[in-house]
Amino acid sequence: MTDRRRIPLILGNWKMNLTPSRSAAYLRALLPLLAPSEDREVAVAPPYTSLPAAAEVLRGHAVRLAAQDVGFEDEGPYTGEVSAAMLQEIGVTYALVGHSERRRHLGETDLMVARKARAALRSDLRPVVCVGEQEAARASGRAASIVRAQLLKAVEDLPRSEARRLVIAYEPIWAIGTDRPAAPADAEEMQGVIRRELDHLFGQDAAPIRVLYGGSVTPGNIDAFMACPGIDGALVGSASLDAAAFARIVRFEPHS
Ligand code: PGA
């Protein structure tokens, strides 16, 4: 295993899949496939309605719970929203914010992403801020500047003291759900862009921030991604819906 300063995080994003009963059945199948391990952290992000059932199955296990989104205010007249405190009380540790599917289908803006990240931190949740460029932006050489701008807008107002609780997920949009993952070298290069920006914003408080890669991660390519020293874990969509595949991803063995 490469010498790492940060414990890698493998996070399964189930998206709008699995009812509460199916979520519980899935987790009961997954848990026996995961060997206890101190050198990696595992989390799953079921839909909101499955979180209580998932929390019940995961009680006493090291696998953590993530929400796929979080409300931008703490409470009040925001029909349909779920606050960070509500999630925190049922045992949720992480909340995805700014996933590209929410930006695209639900009009989520950089401003909203920043508000959600702050709301998560106020209630002791750890935001996983998702950033990533469109295919056209990469083709025209603007990927780094777009990702840098998204990152800045999402986190630049956070107090330095909160920085260590952040997680960043770099997910190129063209790689999500397409079976066309980024080349590990390109992902690693973008992690470097993100890391430099975090260092610039937060100084040494940026050191614990993990930067994940997401986009068509599978059992067949996880080892190559995790061989990149700048990649601190993975955000896994479709492959996380198969317990055996997800367990293999969790058991990554870095090699180049
Ligand atoms: P994918 O999704 O692994 O199916 O590409 C990743 C994500 O959207 O987080």
Side-chain angles (χ1 to χ4, degrees), residues 76-184:
Y78 303 100
T79 302
E81 290 294 282
V82 173
S83 77
M86 293 168 187
L87 297 168
Q88 205 270 341
E89 189 175 312
I90 60 165
V92 172
T93 300
Y94 294 100
L96 304 186
V97 294
H99 190 282
S100 62
E101 286 156 8
R102 298 195 61 82
R103 293 181 192 255
R104 172 165 164 232
H105 299 299
L106 294 146
E108 207 159 278
T109 61
D110 287 321
L111 175 65
M112 192 53 86
V113 174
R115 291 180 71 182
K116 288 181 174 193
R118 283 203 296 276
L121 288 168
R122 277 198 300 277
S123 290
D124 245 2
L125 289 188
R126 305 186 59 171
V128 179
V129 174
C130 303
V131 294
E133 81 284 357
Q134 309 262 15
E135 184 147 41
R138 176 153 288 265
S140 62
R142 289 175 299 124
S145 63
I146 283 173
V147 167
R148 204 182 293 122
Q150 280 178 349
L151 180 70
L152 268 179
K153 287 182 191 145
V155 305
E156 68 185 342
D157 289 338
L158 297 181
R160 254 179 97 137
S161 57
E162 301 276 15
R164 66 190 161 75
R165 297 175 48 220
L166 273 175
V167 178
I168 309 297
Y170 168 57
E171 297 205 299
I173 294 168
W174 46 269
I176 295 178
T178 57
D179 289 330
R180 274 197 309 131

Side-chain angles (χ1 to χ4, degrees), residues 14-96:
W14 298 358
K15 310 192 180 187
M16 200 173 71
N17 294 291
L18 303 186
T19 62
S21 59
R22 283 171 166 241
S23 298
Y26 169 90
L27 288 172
R28 281 194 288 267
L30 175 70
L31 287 173
L33 306 179
L34 301 178
S37 162
E38 307 219 319
D39 70 355
R40 56 201 68 190
E41 189 183 336
V42 183
V44 291
Y48 279 148
T49 47
S50 290
L51 285 167
E56 186 67 36
V57 179
L58 294 178
R59 186 167 302 155
H61 293 272
V63 176
R64 293 179 195 272
L65 265 184
Q68 296 177 17
D69 186 30
V70 62
F72 57 97
E73 285 288 347
D74 296 340
E75 62 181 356
Y78 303 100
T79 302
E81 290 294 282
V82 173
S83 77
M86 293 168 187
L87 297 168
Q88 205 270 341
E89 189 175 312
I90 60 165
V92 172
T93 300
Y94 294 100
L96 304 186

